[in-house]
Every structure is written in structure tokens, then in C-alpha cells.
Amino acid sequence: MDDIKISRAIADSFMKDFLDSMEMDVAIAGAGPSGMVAAYYLAKKGIKTVIFERGLRVGGGMPGGGMMFNRIVFQEEGKTILNEFGIRSSEYEPGYHIADSIETVSTICSKAIQAGAKIFNLISVEDVLIRKDERIIGLVLNWSAVTMANLHVDPLSVRANAVIDATGHAAEICRVVTRKLGPKLNTATGEVIGEKSMLAEVGEKDLIDNTREVYPGLLVTGMAANAVYGSPRMGAIFGGMLLSGKKAAEVAAGSL
Ligand code: 48H
């Protein structure tokens, strides 16, 4: 084995993918469950989809299950998506299906990539790319290591026809928009309203309505959607996250 060939293979293959990902149909910030499910359904339709994930690993809050018990709960509606992905679950009590959080994350990730979506880890979305009329047309990226080390290194940008904020509780992309472009989200205040205390039934139901375009060119999915529109959190029940990802894919595909 030639050490330099190993290095060339890695750098060359990564750079080809990265250059190919400078322009895409849909760019997603965050490889949590909602972002990866959205990417799966988009890629399955042949829509060029790329996720940029800040962390070393994918899955966001899903692998941790409920309070580090790596199990997650799905209601009937959410179970239909588990079935589509071929993820195993068992019925704990009528209407409460339990799944292994590691099996769920790894299966969703693998299916999304095999459907054609790209996931770049260790890259943080730090800003949005806008047009003169302030429509969002892409993302501004930097290495997470640069951000963490607080180094003054300018970012690069990528162009997309639609952008999805799947950054979870922090709703980071929507917050960037309100900070830099003003209180112009289509929420009651124009700002990120902030999530409410735990109430699973309402949180799960609202999540589907809250999954929509929140600003021209920008959709919101997953926990970010409830944070933006001021709906409750729901704890370690994940059906809503998967259904929200699926809806985000439908809305994004319809907007292209
Ligand atoms: C790149 C970023 C950035 C950034 C964040 O938190 P997630 O798992 O998000 P969802 O919405 O798919 O799932 C939410 C769920 O995990 C959860 O927290 C639930 C159900 N909570 C209920 C409750 O009551 O607490 O994943 C978001 C991902 C993470 O991997 C982040 O690292 C990543 O987004 N991320 N990636 N650029 N600026 N910000």
C-alpha cells in the first residue's frame, strides 16, 4: 500500500463531491432525524439534495433516546414511516411503538445516502446566501473546527433552489435570518417565537402544520419548526420528526 495514494484517494474523492455540491436543488442544515428523512424523500425523487452537519456524527438528538435510554417511541402515524424504512419496532402498549434509537438513526442515514443524498459532516452553516430581494438562495459554510476554535477564517457559500432549516431546538438558520434580515419570518411576531414546555400530544400534532416555508426560499422542519412557531416540545417520541421530514420534502419538491 502506498501512503500517498491513500491520501490522494481521500482528498480527491472528497473534493470532487464537495465541488459537485456547490449548486444543488435542496440544501439542508442539520443531519438530525427530520433533516435526514427529508433528504431521503427528496433524493428518492431524483432531487439533488445535500445536508451540511456541524457534528462529527449524524442523528442529532435521536441516538440519546430518552434521558440516555437508547429507545424511542412512535405513535401509529410515525410507525408507518418506520415500516417504510424497514426499521424494527415492538408495540409496548396499544399505540405506543418502541424502537432502538441506534438502529433508527443508522437506517435512516444509510437509506438517505443510498437514495442519492449527500451528507457532509463537520461543516457548520453560519449564514444564508440571499438575493437582492432577500430571497434565500443558499447557505454560507465553514468548518465546525474553525468555528469552535474561534478562528477568523472567511466562509464559502453554496447555492440551492430551496433551503431547509433542520437544526433542531436552536432553529439556527431562522435565527440568523431574523438577526440579519429583521423580524420577517411568517410567524405571529416575525421572530422565532420559541418552543413551549413539554406536551407531547400537541407538540406532535402542531409539528406537521409548522413544517412549511417560513421565509422566501427557507423551509423549517423538525424541532426547529416547533421552536419557530412557538409549539410545545414532546420528549423522546419521534414520529412527528419523521413525518415532518417527509412533509418538508414534499413542500420543498413542490417549490422547485
Ligand atoms: C450545521 C447544525 C447547525 C448548523 C445544528 O436536534 P436534531 O436531532 O433535530 P431534529 O429536529 O431532526 O430532531 C429533534 C429531536 O432530536 C429532538 O431534539 C426532540 C424530539 N426533542 C424533544 C424534546 O422535548 O427535547 O438535529 C439537529 C442537527 C444536529 O445534528 C446538529 O448538530 C445540527 O442539526 N446543527 N448543522 N450547521 N448551524 N445547528
Side-chain angles (χ1 to χ4, degrees), residues 8-46:
R8 272 189 191 282
I10 290 170
D12 194 30
S13 127
F14 179 86
M15 209 38 83
K16 278 188 183 130
D17 260 2
F18 192 59
L19 287 172
D20 185 54
S21 301
M22 296 249 151
E23 288 178 280
M24 68 216 88
D25 295 316
V26 183
I28 302 177
S34 64
M36 290 197 295
V37 166
Y40 166 77
Y41 284 107
L42 285 161
K44 217 165 69 126
K45 287 194 167 109

Side-chain angles (χ1 to χ4, degrees), residues 95-109:
Y96 293 78
H97 301 272
I98 186 116
D100 181 310
S101 63
I102 308 290
E103 178 182 351
T104 310
V105 166
S106 54
T107 307
I108 293 172
C109 178

Side-chain angles (χ1 to χ4, degrees), residues 29 135 171:
R135 184 182 175 83

Side-chain angles (χ1 to χ4, degrees), residues 221-237:
T221 186
M223 204 55 226
N226 275 13
V228 166
Y229 288 103
S231 290
R233 66 191 300 185
M234 68 296 285
I237 179 162

Side-chain angles (χ1 to χ4, degrees), residues 28-36 52-55 57-63 123-126 144 165-170 172-173 195 198 204 221-225 232-238 241:
I28 302 177
S34 64
M36 290 197 295
F52 299 97
E53 163 57 46
R54 162 186 291 160
R57 59 151 184 88
V58 298
M62 193 181 248
I123 293 182
S124 293
V125 178
E126 64 167 56
S144 302
D165 182 347
T167 61
H169 292 268
E172 287 200 18
I173 312 309
E195 76 185 36
M198 182 102 82
E204 286 286 276
T221 186
M223 204 55 226
R233 66 191 300 185
M234 68 296 285
I237 179 162
F238 274 82
M241 295 301 140

